[in-house]
Every structure is written in C-alpha cells, then in structure tokens.
Amino acid sequence: MNTAASLIQDHTAELTTAVGDEPAVLADIYDEKTNLVIWQRQLHDSLKQIVEDFTASRQQPYIAAICTPSDTLAVMRKALGSSRFDALADDVSELVDMFCCLFDLKQAGLRLTVLRDTMCPKFHVDHVPCRLVTTYCGIGTQWLPHNLVHREKLGIGSAGKTDQESGLYASANDIQQMACAEVALLKGEGWQGNQNAGLVHRSPGIPAAESRLLLTLDFND
C-alpha cells in the first residue's frame, strides 16, 4: 500500500524544465510535471547599459515593494531615482504585469537587489507557491534537476557540510545555470501537490569586483 510520501515521490519522479524563447512558455508552469520554466530572452544593448549604470551607481542594496500591475511603473521610476533608468522601470513593470496575469494576482511582492556578495550560497528550496527570478546583470541563478538531487541532504540534512561534501548532488556537472536576462519561474514547496519537489537552487558565487542585479517576484495576495 502506497504511503502519502511515496505517492508524492511517484507524482514528481519525472519533473522537467520547460524552456522557450517566447514569453508564452511561462504558462507551462501549470504542467504538473514541470517545476521550472525558463524564458530565454535577451536584453537590448541600450537596456544592458542602463542596467550596468544603475548597478554601479546604486548605494542601497535593494528596492522592496508590494506592487499592482497598474502602479509598478510609478513605484519603480520613483525608487530608481533618475529618469535615465526609466527603461529598467518599464521592464520590471512588464514582468509584474505578466506575473500577476499568469497567476491571477492583484499584486506581487517585488525585490530588486544589487548583490556584491553571494546571497544564498547553499542549495535550498523556496516555501512559496512560485517565484519569478531574473538576473539583469551578472551571474545567473544555479539549480539542480529534480532527479539528480538527494533531497534528504538539504538544510539540516547536510549536517553542516557543504553541498558538495554532503552528497546533495553527485557531480559538479549536475549544476545547471540560468543565463543573464532569462526569466524563470521556480515552482516552490507551497505549490499545491508539489511537496518535496520544489526547485532546488542557489545564488552563485560572485567574483571579486563584480556585481549582480537580481529581480524576484512573489505571490502577495
């Protein structure tokens, strides 16, 4: 007789990643066999330069706000502090609109962070339904395919060891990495029916003298 745990394991044994070069691929997050969706977009050169200028000039580490699709643009233009960064505000606003539309949300929790040190050095899962992640500049988020993770080694299961030492994954070749500007949806432990299957991921190590600009969007209804 199957236990609840084995039923979950059977249900998630073949979890996959959906990848596409059009934003419509984001809707694949609703596939029960998908726990990661990646929209392989690229930024225009003009926006890349704006992002680099903002990241270099930003003194405060992050911008955090609860935004609706209708007010995100005004909130971001004010928070960014200069009209020369308006194109970045426009892009963030579009992503909030897409995120809220996809999940039928009235508002989203937004965090735009300038990282000059590694934020989450160990692999982990998010205890949320789903999170949008995009790296505007710098190194992209790293993740592990579901079938290559020894999930019992997450968190306290690592016994204080590094991920490599604990046996969380068998080989460094198992580690996958998102490209800069790609937009990803990471299904978390809070997604109904996705217990013990949230995407395992981490922030990569940031080389000395380099920076990373990371946007995350979360449910806030």
Side-chain angles (χ1 to χ4, degrees), residues 48 50-61 112-119 134-141 177 180-181 203-215:
K48 287 181 183 178
I50 289 168
V51 166
E52 290 176 4
D53 291 346
F54 171 76
T55 305
S57 66
R58 181 72 179 178
Q59 298 300 312
Q60 298 299 318
L112 184 66
T113 309
V114 175
L115 295 164
R116 296 186 172 91
D117 297 297
T118 304
M119 184 171 64
T134 187
T135 302
Y136 278 104
C137 73
I139 305 174
T141 298
Q177 189 154 25
C180 182
S203 291
I206 300 176
E210 292 190 18
S211 300
R212 184 178 182 224
L213 184 62
L214 175 70
L215 174 71

Side-chain angles (χ1 to χ4, degrees), residues 6-215:
S6 65
L7 285 171
I8 290 173
Q9 186 176 9
D10 291 343
H11 178 69
T12 62
E14 300 299 328
L15 284 174
T16 60
T17 299
V19 180
D21 57 9
E22 296 293 336
V25 73
L26 297 176
D28 287 357
I29 197 66
Y30 282 102
D31 186 332
E32 65 179 17
K33 294 183 179 179
T34 298
N35 72 343
L36 171 65
V37 177
I38 299 176
W39 168 24
Q40 294 177 312
R41 71 164 188 167
Q42 296 183 356
L43 301 182
H44 295 297
D45 288 342
S46 58
L47 181 53
K48 287 181 183 178
Q49 188 60 57
I50 289 168
V51 166
E52 290 176 4
D53 291 346
F54 171 76
T55 305
S57 66
R58 181 72 179 178
Q59 298 300 312
Q60 298 299 318
Y62 64 86
I63 294 168
I66 305 300
C67 297
T68 67
S70 61
D71 70 15
T72 304
L73 184 58
V75 169
M76 289 305 301
R77 286 188 173 183
K78 181 178 180 180
L80 294 179
S82 172
S83 60
R84 66 191 174 111
F85 303 135
D86 280 357
L88 175 57
D90 293 346
D91 193 77
V92 171
S93 179
E94 289 180 7
L95 291 178
V96 170
D97 185 64
M98 294 168 63
F99 185 74
C100 289
C101 180
L102 180 63
F103 296 113
D104 194 24
L105 303 173
K106 294 180 180 179
Q107 57 189 14
L110 177 157
R111 192 175 181 95
L112 184 66
T113 309
V114 175
L115 295 164
R116 296 186 172 91
D117 297 297
T118 304
M119 184 171 64
C120 296
K122 295 195 74 172
F123 279 107
H124 62 282
V125 295
D126 294 328
H127 294 274
V128 299
C130 190
R131 174 169 289 161
L132 182 147
V133 172
T134 187
T135 302
Y136 278 104
C137 73
I139 305 174
T141 298
Q142 295 177 334
W143 56 280
L144 291 167
H146 177 74
N147 64 323
L148 298 180
V149 179
H150 297 284
R151 302 181 77 89
E152 70 278 6
K153 302 296 184 180
L154 287 169
I156 61 174
S158 70
K161 298 177 181 179
T162 67
D163 291 329
Q164 188 171 12
E165 292 171 339
S166 71
L168 179 67
Y169 55 87
S171 166
N173 293 329
D174 297 338
I175 301 173
Q176 308 296 305
Q177 189 154 25
M178 299 170 197
C180 182
E182 290 184 335
V183 176
L185 292 176
L186 286 57
K187 194 176 285 184
E189 294 286 312
W191 185 281
Q192 186 173 1
N194 200 54
Q195 294 79 16
N196 298 319
L199 184 79
V200 177
H201 64 284
R202 72 179 179 188
S203 291
I206 300 176
E210 292 190 18
S211 300
R212 184 178 182 224
L213 184 62
L214 175 70
L215 174 71

